[in-house]
Amino acid sequence: MKRSCFTEEQIIGVLKKQEAGLKVSDLCRRHGISDATFYKWKTRYGGLEISEAKRLKALEDENSRLKRLLADAMLDNAALKEIVGKKW
């Protein structure tokens, strides 16, 4: 997945400027993003503070790590069951 050129702090800053009354088209032109990107950010980060966004990112990272661990454990379990089934 492509990494964003903007950090969570910058994204929230752009969203706060829009909440303060600036037009979306002006903000997008100034920061070099599309309207679709702005609205995607708004759905994901709208209403969040910087600390909450960092916590969200940390939880997403931990969740993906735990999913990988579970997938590895399930593969090991399936392999062991296959080995035991062949021996009998």
Side-chain angles (χ1 to χ4, degrees), residues 17-31:
K17 288 178 186 176
Q18 189 268 333
E19 290 174 0
L22 292 176
K23 288 186 174 182
V24 173
S25 58
D26 293 338
L27 277 173
C28 292
R29 191 176 314 111
R30 184 178 301 156
H31 294 285

Side-chain angles (χ1 to χ4, degrees), residues 12 49-56:
I12 292 173
E49 295 297 323
I50 294 173
S51 61
E52 293 169 339
K54 286 183 180 182
R55 174 114 172 102
L56 175 67

Side-chain angles (χ1 to χ4, degrees), residues 15-64:
L15 294 175
K16 297 270 185 204
K17 288 178 186 176
Q18 189 268 333
E19 290 174 0
L22 292 176
K23 288 186 174 182
V24 173
S25 58
D26 293 338
L27 277 173
C28 292
R29 191 176 314 111
R30 184 178 301 156
H31 294 285
I33 59 172
S34 68
D35 289 348
T37 300
F38 175 82
Y39 288 113
K40 190 185 335 177
W41 288 353
K42 190 170 183 178
T43 57
R44 183 167 181 165
Y45 296 105
L48 290 180
E49 295 297 323
I50 294 173
S51 61
E52 293 169 339
K54 286 183 180 182
R55 174 114 172 102
L56 175 67
K57 179 69 175 158
L59 288 173
E60 287 174 347
D61 291 343
E62 182 181 6
N63 192 24
S64 65

